[in-house]
Structures are given as structure tokens and as C-alpha cells.
Amino acid sequence: REPSRALLLKACANLTTHPTNDKFRKLRLSNAIIQAKVTNVKGARRILECAGFVQQGEFLIVVDQNQTNVARRASDVAARLKL
């Protein structure tokens, strides 16, 4: 579970720092690392949903275009993951 937590923290940190960068706003569900650390880990996907990701086809993406909202949600989730 720790590798999953580390990936979730990194995804949230990237969104907090770069809320408008498309590179950090999309995760491919077919990616082997995403499958191992998100798809196959109970609760991990829900955490990303709390950070603002939604599924669209084979991706989890952040659809909110308001950079303040994106950064705030990701920061809140990251803070809870660090507890």
C-alpha cells in the first residue's frame, strides 16, 4: 500500500504545483504502474476522485478548469494522505 500512497501523493503534489498542466491532469488506466498502484488497490481510485479525477474512456482526468479549485482539492487530499 505504501507504493500506492506514494503515487497518490505525487499525483496530488503535481496538481497542486501545476494545476493547469495537462501532463499532470490525465492518468492512463491501461498504464502498468497505474494498474498496479491505483486500479488494483482498494480505495486508491476513490482518493483520486476526491482530488478531482473522473474517468473518461481509458483515462482518469481532471475536468475542472478552475486552477484554484484543482490546486485546493489536490492539496487537501495530499494533506490527508500524509496523516
Side-chain angles (χ1 to χ4, degrees):
R1 290 186 41 97
E2 188 57 35
S4 177
R5 186 170 170 261
L7 183 139
L8 297 170
L9 276 168
K10 182 68 173 173
C12 289
N14 286 338
L15 277 178
T16 300
T17 308
H18 310 284
T20 60
N21 188 330
D22 287 339
K23 174 180 167 181
F24 301 121
R25 297 170 62 94
K26 180 167 46 171
L27 301 171
R28 184 183 304 270
L29 291 170
S30 61
N31 178 292
I33 292 171
I34 299 301
Q35 286 183 352
K37 296 180 181 180
V38 176
T39 307
N40 297 332
V41 177
K42 185 177 180 179
R45 187 170 174 157
R46 180 68 186 122
I47 290 169
L48 288 175
E49 290 169 356
C50 289
F53 285 90
V54 296
Q55 184 171 351
Q56 286 192 354
E58 69 171 294
F59 294 97
L60 289 177
I61 66 166
V62 176
V63 295
D64 190 340
Q65 295 300 313
N66 183 310
Q67 68 183 21
T68 303
N69 289 346
V70 172
R72 184 180 315 120
R73 284 181 78 169
S75 178
D76 289 348
V77 171
R80 286 175 177 79
L81 285 168
K82 291 178 183 176
L83 295 177

